[in-house]
Amino acid sequence: MEIDILKDFSFTPVEKSKIDTFDFENVQFGAKFTDHMLVCEYKNNAWQQAEIKPYAPIQLDPSARVFHYGQAIFEGMKAYKDVNDEIWLFRPEENFNRFNKSAVRLAMPEIDETIFLDGLKALINIEKEWVRKGLGNSLYIRPFMIATESGVIASPSNEFLFCILLSPAKSYYAGKIKVQIAEYFSRAANGGIGAAKAAGNYSAQFYPTKLAQEAGFNQIIWTDSTHTKLEESGTMNVFFRINDTIYTAPTSDRILDGVTRKSLIDLAKKEGYNIEVRPVLVDEIVEAAENGTLKEIFGAGTAAVINQIEAFSYKDKMYELPNMDNEGSYALDLKDKLTKIQNKLADDSFGWTVKI
Ligand SMILES: *Cc1c(COP(=O)(O)O)cnc(C)c1O
């Protein structure tokens, strides 16, 4: 590995690691980063030499396109350390492929696999002390790309910066959440950029989500353009359990193709759950809540894995879900099984985990 680092990446180590001052007991998600980052510039139609260097501010021209036209994409993934101190990624090719799909949609250059995946492995190898063992501990990985060419000209940039940041993470029980079904605002449009992990999708969500939070909710369940189909919960894919069947919407250009979502679908099938991928209507969920057949709703994404929903509102009416935690909750069972695979505490029959 050390030889690969020298060959493919230039490496400038920090003078002194800040790991001794990092409080691994009280970790705030995504707030602090490890000693080094990977950066790689794109110019003259080519990716340049990737560099691993001390985590530090980056300098950009104030007219850089990213500030004006939001040409920016990112990924979110995690690394886990097992009981033998080996470090594992979870389905990293999925994130690599999705990153390049996002790049194409935002008129950005695709990144080479050696820079994204080998670069990530080299970076984590340098930072392995920052990955802690034990269920719940992980290293959150944030690859991103921004348009850096100067000039407030409304056309795609010809220069970009790719970067990978690492942030130690700890799972914490955030509690169940209350959500509001979107009746006016939309996260994504037909033919828009909803399927890309684009920075702009998040800024589009902030204001409606703020209004929902002021009204006492944690998140919004996003709907399609007619506000009749349920699509995502906040920044997570969403699953509904009616009686003994789990439903989740098919991906589309409005729905992000989540790695957690597709893993849960495969895992649920293997575990013998009934799971159907088909459009989920607001009306059928309201009806199921009214007649008592709606058992669970949960969001799925890398950061929290599964987030249980305890209530939703629609047309100013609140619908409470039953507490299934001690009655065979599908959400809790699937979360337990998936996190054990990710942490190498259960057999990975799917071959999802990749050793660094
Ligand atoms: C990242 C993201 C998800 C979850 O994707 P994972 O690959 O499971 O982390 C779901 N919805 C949106 C809008 C997202 O940005």
Side-chain angles (χ1 to χ4, degrees), residues 86-189:
E86 304 277 17
I87 300 175
W88 300 82
L89 294 170
F90 185 73
R91 310 186 77 176
E93 306 83 8
E94 295 284 341
N95 297 90
F96 167 67
N97 290 332
R98 188 170 70 190
F99 192 75
N100 279 343
K101 277 190 197 151
S102 299
V104 169
R105 182 62 185 82
L106 276 280
M108 300 169 104
E110 292 177 68
I111 188 109
D112 305 343
E113 188 162 345
T114 45
I115 300 171
F116 188 107
L117 288 177
D118 297 345
L120 174 57
K121 288 174 187 172
L123 180 64
I124 293 178
N125 210 44
I126 290 166
E127 306 289 55
K128 49 179 178 263
E129 295 306 317
W130 290 86
V131 199
R132 293 291 151 123
K133 285 194 275 212
L135 197 59
N137 291 323
S138 64
L139 185 70
Y140 184 74
I141 302 160
R142 172 51 62 90
F144 67 99
M145 194 202 314
I146 54 174
T148 52
E149 191 182 356
S150 63
V152 291
I153 302 142
S155 62
S157 178
N158 291 304
E159 290 170 10
F160 298 87
L161 183 73
F162 171 74
C163 193
I164 305 178
L165 311 179
L166 304 177
S167 175
K170 213 174 167 71
S171 82
Y172 57 98
Y173 183 66
K176 294 185 186 178
I177 63 167
K178 288 190 173 64
V179 296
Q180 199 176 42
I181 293 179
E183 293 166 52
Y184 174 74
F185 290 107
S186 294
R187 186 192 83 88

Side-chain angles (χ1 to χ4, degrees), residues 14 151 163 336:
V14 287
C163 193
D336 178 65

Side-chain angles (χ1 to χ4, degrees), residues 74-76 95 98 187 194 197 202 205 232 234-237 256-261 300-303:
F74 67 94
E75 267 305 321
N95 297 90
R98 188 170 70 190
R187 186 192 83 88
K197 230 171 158 67
Y202 282 63
Q205 282 190 225
E232 296 215 50
T235 58
M236 302 178 100
N237 294 113
L256 193 107
D257 186 7
V259 180
T260 317
R261 172 188 174 279
T302 295

